[in-house]
Short mmCIF file of all heavy atoms in Angstrom, two decimals:
data_model
loop_
_atom_site.label_atom_id
_atom_site.label_comp_id
_atom_site.label_asym_id
_atom_site.label_seq_id
_atom_site.Cartn_x
_atom_site.Cartn_y
_atom_site.Cartn_z
N ASN A 1 2.69 5.40 -5.52
CA ASN A 1 2.68 5.34 -6.97
C ASN A 1 3.09 3.94 -7.41
O ASN A 1 4.17 3.48 -7.05
CB ASN A 1 3.65 6.36 -7.58
CG ASN A 1 3.78 6.21 -9.08
OD1 ASN A 1 2.87 6.57 -9.82
ND2 ASN A 1 4.91 5.68 -9.55
N GLU A 2 2.21 3.28 -8.15
CA GLU A 2 2.51 1.96 -8.72
C GLU A 2 3.11 1.01 -7.68
O GLU A 2 4.15 0.38 -7.90
CB GLU A 2 3.43 2.11 -9.93
CG GLU A 2 2.77 2.91 -11.06
CD GLU A 2 3.68 3.13 -12.26
OE1 GLU A 2 4.91 2.92 -12.14
OE2 GLU A 2 3.17 3.52 -13.32
N ASP A 3 2.44 0.91 -6.54
CA ASP A 3 2.97 0.07 -5.46
C ASP A 3 2.85 -1.41 -5.72
O ASP A 3 3.31 -2.23 -4.91
CB ASP A 3 2.25 0.42 -4.15
CG ASP A 3 2.71 1.74 -3.57
OD1 ASP A 3 2.26 2.80 -4.06
OD2 ASP A 3 3.53 1.74 -2.65
N ASN A 4 2.22 -1.79 -6.83
CA ASN A 4 2.20 -3.19 -7.21
C ASN A 4 3.50 -3.64 -7.86
O ASN A 4 3.69 -4.83 -8.13
CB ASN A 4 1.04 -3.46 -8.18
CG ASN A 4 1.07 -2.55 -9.40
OD1 ASN A 4 1.37 -1.36 -9.27
ND2 ASN A 4 0.74 -3.08 -10.57
N LEU A 5 4.43 -2.69 -8.09
CA LEU A 5 5.72 -3.00 -8.70
C LEU A 5 6.84 -2.93 -7.66
O LEU A 5 6.63 -2.48 -6.53
CB LEU A 5 6.00 -2.02 -9.84
CG LEU A 5 4.92 -1.89 -10.92
CD1 LEU A 5 5.31 -0.84 -11.94
CD2 LEU A 5 4.65 -3.24 -11.59
N ASN A 6 8.03 -3.35 -8.06
CA ASN A 6 9.24 -3.18 -7.25
C ASN A 6 9.12 -3.76 -5.85
O ASN A 6 9.48 -3.12 -4.87
CB ASN A 6 9.62 -1.69 -7.16
CG ASN A 6 9.83 -1.06 -8.52
OD1 ASN A 6 10.50 -1.62 -9.37
ND2 ASN A 6 9.24 0.10 -8.72
N ASN A 7 8.55 -4.97 -5.74
CA ASN A 7 8.48 -5.66 -4.46
C ASN A 7 7.49 -5.00 -3.50
O ASN A 7 7.55 -5.22 -2.30
CB ASN A 7 9.88 -5.70 -3.80
CG ASN A 7 9.95 -6.59 -2.58
OD1 ASN A 7 9.41 -7.69 -2.60
ND2 ASN A 7 10.61 -6.13 -1.53
N GLY A 8 6.56 -4.21 -4.04
CA GLY A 8 5.69 -3.44 -3.15
C GLY A 8 4.31 -4.00 -2.90
O GLY A 8 3.67 -3.64 -1.90
N GLN A 9 3.81 -4.88 -3.77
CA GLN A 9 2.40 -5.23 -3.70
C GLN A 9 2.00 -5.93 -2.41
O GLN A 9 0.97 -5.60 -1.80
CB GLN A 9 2.02 -6.12 -4.90
CG GLN A 9 0.54 -6.43 -4.96
CD GLN A 9 0.12 -7.01 -6.29
OE1 GLN A 9 0.85 -6.96 -7.27
NE2 GLN A 9 -1.09 -7.56 -6.34
N ALA A 10 2.79 -6.89 -1.96
CA ALA A 10 2.41 -7.66 -0.77
C ALA A 10 2.26 -6.77 0.46
O ALA A 10 1.25 -6.84 1.17
CB ALA A 10 3.44 -8.76 -0.51
N SER A 11 3.24 -5.91 0.71
CA SER A 11 3.17 -5.04 1.90
C SER A 11 2.09 -3.97 1.73
O SER A 11 1.47 -3.56 2.71
CB SER A 11 4.53 -4.39 2.16
OG SER A 11 4.94 -3.60 1.05
N TYR A 12 1.88 -3.52 0.49
CA TYR A 12 0.85 -2.49 0.25
C TYR A 12 -0.53 -3.04 0.59
O TYR A 12 -1.32 -2.37 1.27
CB TYR A 12 0.90 -2.05 -1.20
CG TYR A 12 0.14 -0.79 -1.53
CD1 TYR A 12 0.64 0.47 -1.17
CD2 TYR A 12 -1.07 -0.83 -2.23
CE1 TYR A 12 -0.03 1.63 -1.50
CE2 TYR A 12 -1.76 0.32 -2.55
CZ TYR A 12 -1.24 1.55 -2.19
OH TYR A 12 -1.92 2.72 -2.52
N GLU A 13 -0.80 -4.25 0.15
CA GLU A 13 -2.11 -4.84 0.40
C GLU A 13 -2.24 -5.37 1.82
O GLU A 13 -3.35 -5.45 2.36
CB GLU A 13 -2.39 -5.94 -0.62
CG GLU A 13 -2.47 -5.42 -2.06
CD GLU A 13 -2.88 -6.46 -3.06
OE1 GLU A 13 -3.27 -7.59 -2.65
OE2 GLU A 13 -2.84 -6.18 -4.28
N ALA A 14 -1.12 -5.69 2.44
CA ALA A 14 -1.17 -6.24 3.81
C ALA A 14 -1.34 -5.15 4.85
O ALA A 14 -2.15 -5.31 5.79
CB ALA A 14 0.09 -7.05 4.08
N TYR A 15 -0.61 -4.03 4.72
CA TYR A 15 -0.69 -3.04 5.80
C TYR A 15 -0.44 -1.60 5.38
O TYR A 15 -0.96 -0.66 6.01
CB TYR A 15 0.30 -3.40 6.93
CG TYR A 15 1.76 -3.34 6.55
CD1 TYR A 15 2.50 -2.15 6.64
CD2 TYR A 15 2.43 -4.49 6.12
CE1 TYR A 15 3.85 -2.11 6.29
CE2 TYR A 15 3.76 -4.46 5.78
CZ TYR A 15 4.47 -3.28 5.86
OH TYR A 15 5.80 -3.24 5.52
N ARG A 16 0.31 -1.37 4.30
CA ARG A 16 0.67 0.02 4.02
C ARG A 16 -0.53 0.87 3.59
O ARG A 16 -0.76 1.94 4.14
CB ARG A 16 1.79 0.09 2.97
CG ARG A 16 3.13 -0.38 3.47
CD ARG A 16 4.28 0.00 2.55
NE ARG A 16 4.25 -0.74 1.28
CZ ARG A 16 4.14 -0.17 0.08
NH1 ARG A 16 4.04 1.14 -0.02
NH2 ARG A 16 4.15 -0.92 -1.02
N PHE A 17 -1.30 0.42 2.61
CA PHE A 17 -2.44 1.21 2.17
C PHE A 17 -3.43 1.41 3.30
O PHE A 17 -3.92 2.52 3.53
CB PHE A 17 -3.15 0.54 0.98
CG PHE A 17 -4.39 1.30 0.55
CD1 PHE A 17 -4.28 2.46 -0.20
CD2 PHE A 17 -5.65 0.87 0.93
CE1 PHE A 17 -5.41 3.18 -0.57
CE2 PHE A 17 -6.78 1.57 0.57
CZ PHE A 17 -6.67 2.74 -0.19
N LYS A 18 -3.72 0.35 4.05
CA LYS A 18 -4.70 0.45 5.14
C LYS A 18 -4.28 1.45 6.20
O LYS A 18 -5.10 2.22 6.72
CB LYS A 18 -4.91 -0.92 5.77
CG LYS A 18 -6.01 -0.95 6.84
CD LYS A 18 -6.21 -2.34 7.39
CE LYS A 18 -7.43 -2.40 8.31
NZ LYS A 18 -7.35 -1.47 9.45
N ALA A 19 -2.99 1.49 6.51
CA ALA A 19 -2.51 2.43 7.53
C ALA A 19 -2.78 3.87 7.11
O ALA A 19 -3.25 4.70 7.92
CB ALA A 19 -1.03 2.21 7.78
N PHE A 20 -2.49 4.20 5.85
CA PHE A 20 -2.74 5.55 5.37
C PHE A 20 -4.24 5.82 5.23
O PHE A 20 -4.73 6.87 5.63
CB PHE A 20 -2.05 5.76 4.01
CG PHE A 20 -0.57 5.97 4.11
CD1 PHE A 20 0.30 4.89 4.09
CD2 PHE A 20 -0.04 7.25 4.22
CE1 PHE A 20 1.67 5.08 4.18
CE2 PHE A 20 1.33 7.45 4.31
CZ PHE A 20 2.19 6.37 4.29
N TYR A 21 -4.95 4.85 4.67
CA TYR A 21 -6.39 5.03 4.46
C TYR A 21 -7.11 5.29 5.77
O TYR A 21 -7.89 6.25 5.89
CB TYR A 21 -6.97 3.78 3.78
CG TYR A 21 -8.47 3.85 3.58
CD1 TYR A 21 -9.02 4.45 2.45
CD2 TYR A 21 -9.33 3.32 4.54
CE1 TYR A 21 -10.39 4.53 2.28
CE2 TYR A 21 -10.71 3.39 4.38
CZ TYR A 21 -11.23 3.99 3.25
OH TYR A 21 -12.59 4.08 3.09
N ASP A 22 -6.86 4.46 6.76
CA ASP A 22 -7.57 4.60 8.05
C ASP A 22 -7.27 5.94 8.70
O ASP A 22 -8.18 6.62 9.22
CB ASP A 22 -7.17 3.47 9.00
CG ASP A 22 -7.74 2.11 8.58
OD1 ASP A 22 -8.62 2.09 7.69
OD2 ASP A 22 -7.29 1.09 9.13
N ALA A 23 -6.01 6.36 8.68
CA ALA A 23 -5.63 7.61 9.34
C ALA A 23 -6.20 8.83 8.61
O ALA A 23 -6.70 9.77 9.25
CB ALA A 23 -4.11 7.71 9.43
N ILE A 24 -6.14 8.82 7.29
CA ILE A 24 -6.64 9.96 6.52
C ILE A 24 -8.16 10.07 6.65
O ILE A 24 -8.70 11.16 6.88
CB ILE A 24 -6.20 9.85 5.05
CG1 ILE A 24 -4.69 10.02 4.94
CG2 ILE A 24 -6.91 10.91 4.20
CD1 ILE A 24 -4.13 9.69 3.56
#
């Protein structure tokens, strides 16, 4: 939820979203 906020955007775009997307 709103991972572009609270220091989240860099890690979300670098690896977090991709890890969930690929596995799901």
Side-chain angles (χ1 to χ4, degrees):
N1 174 73
E2 298 178 345
D3 285 79
N4 55 320
L5 306 178
N6 303 314
N7 190 43
Q9 185 166 346
S11 60
Y12 194 76
E13 296 186 8
Y15 65 87
R16 289 194 290 119
F17 177 77
K18 185 178 187 302
F20 284 89
Y21 177 86
D22 289 348
I24 292 170

